[in-house]
Amino acid sequence: MLNSEQLAIEAARAADDKKATDVRIMDMADSLGITDYFVIASGTNDRQVKRIRDAVEEKLRGEGVKPVRREGERFGRWILLDYIDFVVHVFLEEDREFYNLERLWGNVPVIEWRR
């Protein structure tokens, strides 16, 4: 079984495989207290956002993990997949710019995940 950092990396890779842009993993363990990592990715349209979500869920299901909660699936502008130890945020590009989680949590370490 993979640990939460390894699962977050797998989620980032699945998003990247679907051509998500600006995929980041932020280490939230010391800052937030309710989850260890944020995986953040962007899509250029609502269909791509949903394809990214599907790819992440499929990849992690293969690792034996399912999200305990999903939000935002109806409109595909900001989809949140909560895996408890890590949370995957898939944004439409303009929504990501608006909410700007990276600025809000700019003091946390970013995990290198690229192969």
Side-chain angles (χ1 to χ4, degrees):
M1 180 89 182
L2 300 178
N3 65 36
S4 59
E5 180 177 351
Q6 292 166 323
L7 289 167
I9 290 169
E10 289 302 311
R13 288 180 177 156
D16 188 58
D17 287 346
K18 289 297 176 185
K19 308 295 185 226
T21 56
D22 199 15
V23 181
R24 295 186 189 192
I25 301 173
M26 300 173 72
D27 184 343
M28 306 301 292
D30 293 332
S31 298
L32 195 54
I34 59 172
T35 193
D36 292 337
Y37 301 97
F38 278 174
V39 178
I40 305 173
S42 299
T44 56
N45 58 56
D46 61 333
R47 288 184 315 273
Q48 185 186 22
V49 168
K50 290 175 182 177
R51 283 193 305 268
I52 294 166
R53 173 211 53 205
D54 291 345
V56 168
E57 284 196 272
E58 181 179 330
K59 178 65 176 176
L60 296 179
R61 196 175 311 113
E63 298 295 338
V65 230
K66 294 180 183 178
V68 296
R69 187 177 61 146
R70 295 178 188 92
E71 292 186 15
E73 294 181 297
R74 182 173 177 197
F75 298 108
R77 298 187 63 84
W78 177 2
I79 296 176
L80 180 143
L81 302 172
D82 185 350
Y83 289 90
I84 304 291
D85 292 333
F86 63 99
V87 176
V88 178
H89 300 269
V90 185
F91 286 96
L92 198 57
E93 288 175 344
E94 59 261 21
D95 287 32
R96 183 172 177 176
E97 286 179 33
F98 178 79
Y99 290 104
N100 202 350
L101 296 182
E102 292 92 340
R103 181 181 47 80
L104 182 63
W105 298 103
N107 61 325
V108 303
V110 175
I111 304 297
E112 180 56 47
W113 61 270
R114 300 229 183 246
R115 299 168 210 213

